[in-house]
Amino acid sequence: MAESGWARRGRAGARLLRLAGHLLHGLWVIFTRFPRLSVEQRNAHVQAWARGLLPRVGVELQVHGTPPVGGPVLLVANHLSWLDIPVLHAARHCRFISKADVASWPVLGTLARAAGTLYIDRNSRRDTLRMVNVMAQALAQRDVLAVFPEGTTGEGRELLPFRANLIEAALQSGAPVQPLGLRFIDPATGEDSEAPIYAGDTPLWTSVWRTLGAPAIIARVGYGQAQTADGRDRRTWARDLQAEVDRLRRA
């Protein structure tokens, strides 16, 4: 029997309350405990917080392959949803490269800064060059960074072309790049779940509410093998990474 709209709304409302409580707890930890913690301790808190968030919004994490033990490494992934970042933090803490306006978002901006996010103005070539240098320095310091080379969220059926600009940071620093594939699955059917998709003209709140009302969602993260440039330029490497991410998300 098909589930009623009332059941979905009731589930979404209950999860929304749990989500709000978890967000507030995260802010409390940032303001009261983070000033006394080392970077490693902060990273552990971010990962634990992300792992706590997923079941509160009805998401089960499944990790396939081997996340990086440490840096330097640049993770590259497909981009589907607002859920991608907490899912990847839950699998393995990393520092994301994010669009600059996220820094000013209420609550989420504070959480992102605490997680070590680096911000870039994607419309500025000069800022892209700056970010490449910042990323290269972070990789030289053995950080684990993560980027979405599509540059925006997609609907999940086909990958958008990978932008090669930020791959330059791995070339400059000599750091390996590890591809990974993200997929959201409806466990009842085994097919892709459209609930978390945040693409096109879909408002963020619509995607969040669909996710909160869905019966269950599996977030599958498939890690591939880390690879070095091996003589490839950034454009060739980006195309090869796109093909591998596509394979991993379909596996």
Side-chain angles (χ1 to χ4, degrees), residues 60-223:
E60 175 191 347
L61 176 65
Q62 292 183 358
V63 177
H64 297 260
T66 305
V69 175
V73 64
L74 176 63
L75 301 174
V76 297
N78 56 311
H79 199 9
L80 296 167
S81 171
W82 57 276
L83 264 177
D84 296 349
I85 289 177
V87 164
L88 292 186
H89 272 319
R92 204 284 180 208
H93 177 269
C94 48
R95 299 182 70 188
F96 282 93
I97 316 303
S98 181
K99 59 184 181 180
D101 56 343
V102 172
S104 62
W105 289 3
V107 181
L108 296 181
T110 301
L111 294 170
R113 284 193 297 274
T117 300
L118 301 172
Y119 294 105
I120 180 175
D121 181 354
R122 294 186 181 274
N123 296 318
S124 169
R125 177 175 173 80
R126 178 178 295 180
D127 203 52
T128 298
L129 295 174
R130 177 194 65 84
M131 181 52 63
V132 167
N133 291 329
V134 169
M135 290 171 61
Q137 292 171 14
L139 290 169
Q141 295 169 3
R142 308 190 67 82
D143 276 357
V144 178
L145 305 182
V147 297
F148 299 113
E150 291 172 286
T152 187
T153 50
E155 295 181 354
R157 290 185 287 272
E158 300 291 338
L159 293 186
L160 301 173
F162 275 22
R163 300 180 181 182
N165 291 345
L166 298 184
I167 305 298
E168 180 68 26
L171 286 170
Q172 288 187 10
S173 63
V177 176
Q178 185 168 5
L180 63 92
L182 284 169
R183 186 183 175 200
F184 293 105
I185 302 170
D186 181 346
T189 64
E191 301 295 328
D192 289 344
S193 172
E194 296 184 357
I197 298 299
Y198 173 44
D201 296 328
T202 301
L204 175 59
W205 174 246
T206 299
S207 175
V208 172
W209 189 252
R210 279 200 316 250
T211 302
L212 297 177
I217 297 171
I218 294 172
R220 184 188 183 280
V221 183
Y223 287 90

